[in-house]
Amino acid sequence: MALLPALLLLLLLPLAALAAAAVLLGLPSYNIPPGVNQPAKLRLVLTLLLGTAALGRILEKTGLCSQITFGRYVRQGRKLGLDPKLFIQDLQFNEVPVRVYQPKATSDGPRRGILFFHGGGWVFGSLDTYEKVCRYLSRESDSVVVSVQYRLAPEHKYPAAYEDCLSASQHFLQHLQHYGVDPARVTVCGDSAGGNLAAAVSQTLAGRSDLPRLRAQILIYPGLQALDFNLPSYQQNRGVPLLFRERAAFFALLYLNGDALHMQEVLEGSHIPPDMRLKYRKWVSPDNIPEQFKVRGVKPLRPTDFIAEVYETVKRFCEPNLCPLLAEDSVVHQLPESFILTCEYDVLRDDGLLYKKRLEDNGVRVTWYHLEDGFHGIISLYDYCGFSFPSGKRGLDRVVNFLKSL
């Protein structure tokens, strides 16, 4: 990786035209709705991401590095300088890399604690890519934030990311006094794939009597199931950046198996046996989505034939540690107070809505905030390379306000 910057400089000019061509060819197939926040800026961000993907494919074909490695490198961004209001240190909790953010100001008593799990489809993301978000949360909510660098797919398949997040969480909960954290005010938080991990960790810890009980869980446009990729939000937003319907299935398969084989069958729904689909229909169904979220159109789909061979390769999709929406009521009713953020223009919108209903049906208090003009990934883009997305800042401030209420 140390040679990569020099190689990029050498390759940049001859590849720039190819990357631009790939971007221009790809853009027409994507849909940026007029109601989305800052559509022109979003198109520019999408162009950058498509250019990165195009260059990554070329580098992979030349054998210089894989497309995923290149994508991770580009997403790292620049290192931030010292923060005058925070102590920041890199540590390891049970051999899991973490970054701890602690406010420098004196406090009258123990502070809130936040365990933060980053997004990125279990494939991308790092402590550095979420540095701005974690600093903001720590400063604005006056909390100790622990950002967890879990192992990434496809090199490390499920349940590696979940196990790392759980292990780091257990360590933090066992050593709260060392960080000046109130045992009664610890929250798990994550966006996208990180929201999935936060929900799974929260469910696991709910039954533990040997650790402090979590005060809350914060789930920011979480992905919570892989049974149905044809829910209304997946249909309506299938081509809306920054997460397309096909990519949602791609990332889930990469996390589960380390490859994206049978992606088409999973998208069509051929991977779930009829009896299992019937069992989970009470929790994963368009019928549980409020009508107001169907006005942009929902197409009834004919049932697809079940393919047993595909199911054998993806049957762990039915494990709650991977798909928390499928947890039993006996687990869900033990969960702490919850904050769920959803975005209108996001394929994962309905995952959040369905989990909101499950929590409320089990007597769990839920604060729900819906960004009417939001798209997937907008929180981490609230201040991205000079582009500002006010809706993302609005959502992040709602998270801060919720934390302050605890």
Side-chain angles (χ1 to χ4, degrees):
M1 288 300 293
L3 295 174
L4 196 53
L7 290 170
L8 289 179
L9 288 174
L10 291 172
L11 291 168
L12 184 58
L13 287 176
L15 297 183
L18 291 173
V23 170
L24 291 172
L25 288 171
L27 275 174
S29 64
Y30 303 126
N31 173 33
I32 297 183
V36 80
N37 187 245
Q38 303 287 314
K41 290 181 182 178
L42 178 56
R43 185 172 290 274
L44 285 173
V45 172
L46 176 59
T47 301
L48 291 172
L49 293 176
L50 288 172
T52 298
L55 281 170
R57 283 195 295 270
I58 294 168
L59 290 170
E60 187 167 79
K61 287 182 182 296
T62 60
L64 290 172
C65 70
S66 72
Q67 185 176 358
I68 288 176
T69 299
F70 179 69
R72 288 173 183 165
Y73 174 79
V74 172
R75 284 170 171 81
Q76 285 297 98
R78 63 181 181 86
K79 291 278 187 179
L80 298 181
L82 296 175
D83 191 306
K85 295 184 178 181
L86 298 174
F87 292 113
I88 302 174
Q89 55 182 333
D90 289 346
L91 301 171
Q92 290 206 342
F93 286 180
N94 287 340
E95 300 184 353
V96 178
V98 300
R99 184 166 293 166
V100 181
Y101 304 80
Q102 295 175 276
K104 290 182 177 180
T106 57
S107 176
D108 293 335
R111 287 186 162 94
R112 300 175 199 83
I114 304 169
L115 284 152
F116 184 87
F117 311 134
H118 66 75
W122 303 281
V123 174
F124 298 106
S126 68
L127 300 178
D128 290 337
T129 55
Y130 277 77
E131 177 87 352
K132 279 189 178 180
V133 171
C134 290
R135 288 188 182 196
Y136 190 87
L137 290 175
S138 182
R139 283 195 310 264
E140 299 302 315
S141 71
D142 192 35
S143 302
V144 176
V145 174
V146 176
S147 182
V148 179
Q149 181 56 74
Y150 53 86
R151 286 170 291 171
L152 299 175
E155 298 92 335
H156 305 282
K157 297 183 287 187
Y158 169 79
Y162 159 75
E163 289 177 342
D164 285 355
C165 291
L166 179 61
S167 181
S169 299
Q170 290 171 335
H171 178 94
F172 186 53
L173 289 168
Q174 290 166 345
H175 299 88
L176 295 175
Q177 187 175 0
H178 179 74
Y179 299 98
V181 171
D182 183 350
R185 293 195 297 166
V186 180
T187 296
V188 290
C189 175
D191 72 313
S192 192
N196 167 282
L197 295 166
V201 167
S202 184
Q203 289 180 1
T204 301
L205 294 177
R208 295 281 296 269
S209 58
D210 58 324
L211 294 171
R213 175 176 167 78
L214 291 176
R215 176 64 180 84
Q217 60 175 347
I218 297 174
L219 312 179
I220 301 170
Y221 36 73
L224 299 170
Q225 60 87 31
L227 267 65
D228 191 347
F229 289 94
N230 293 290
L231 292 166
S233 62
Y234 286 88
Q235 293 188 37
Q236 296 164 358
N237 303 309
R238 62 185 304 146
V240 179
L242 295 169
L243 181 65
F244 310 116
R245 173 175 171 264
E246 288 76 11
R247 299 301 283 178
F250 172 84
F251 285 132
L253 284 166
L254 221 56
Y255 178 39
L256 175 63
N257 290 329
D259 59 56
L261 296 177
H262 306 301
M263 186 174 75
Q264 194 55 43
E265 292 89 343
V266 169
L267 286 168
E268 293 172 355
S270 301
H271 62 305
I272 301 298
D275 59 333
M276 195 167 291
R277 188 174 296 280
L278 186 63
K279 172 186 175 182
Y280 291 120
R281 185 169 176 79
K282 59 185 176 181
W283 299 331
V284 186
S285 169
D287 297 340
N288 293 342
I289 304 296
E291 292 301 314
Q292 70 195 77
F293 295 103
K294 300 175 184 177
V295 295
R296 289 199 288 129
V298 180
K299 181 181 178 182
L301 300 174
R302 67 174 185 83
T304 56
D305 294 331
F306 167 61
I307 304 175
E309 295 84 355
V310 175
Y311 170 68
E312 285 302 313
T313 68
V314 301
K315 58 186 177 183
R316 298 188 78 182
F317 272 155
C318 297
E319 295 182 11
N321 289 342
L322 180 57
C323 295
L325 185 57
L326 307 184
E328 295 294 331
D329 285 339
S330 58
V331 173
V332 176
H333 92 269
Q334 298 183 66
L335 293 174
E337 183 177 349
S338 304
F339 176 98
I340 297 178
L341 184 144
T342 54
C343 294
E344 179 59 29
Y345 301 106
D346 179 8
V347 291
L348 299 186
R349 180 196 69 197
D350 291 352
D351 286 33
L353 294 177
L354 291 173
Y355 203 48
K356 171 180 177 289
K357 183 181 189 311
R358 288 219 58 205
L359 290 164
E360 291 174 337
D361 287 349
N362 280 275
V364 178
R365 182 179 178 184
V366 178
T367 298
W368 170 56
Y369 186 62
H370 184 63
L371 289 172
E372 295 282 357
D373 59 351
F375 55 86
H376 191 83
I378 196 170
I379 297 297
S380 58
L381 295 178
Y382 83 95
D383 182 17
Y384 176 75
C385 296
F387 298 115
S388 62
F389 288 87
S391 187
K393 175 69 159 50
R394 206 162 59 239
L396 195 57
D397 285 338
R398 285 300 184 111
V399 171
V400 169
N401 291 339
F402 175 77
L403 285 165
K404 288 180 175 179
S405 73
L406 301 176

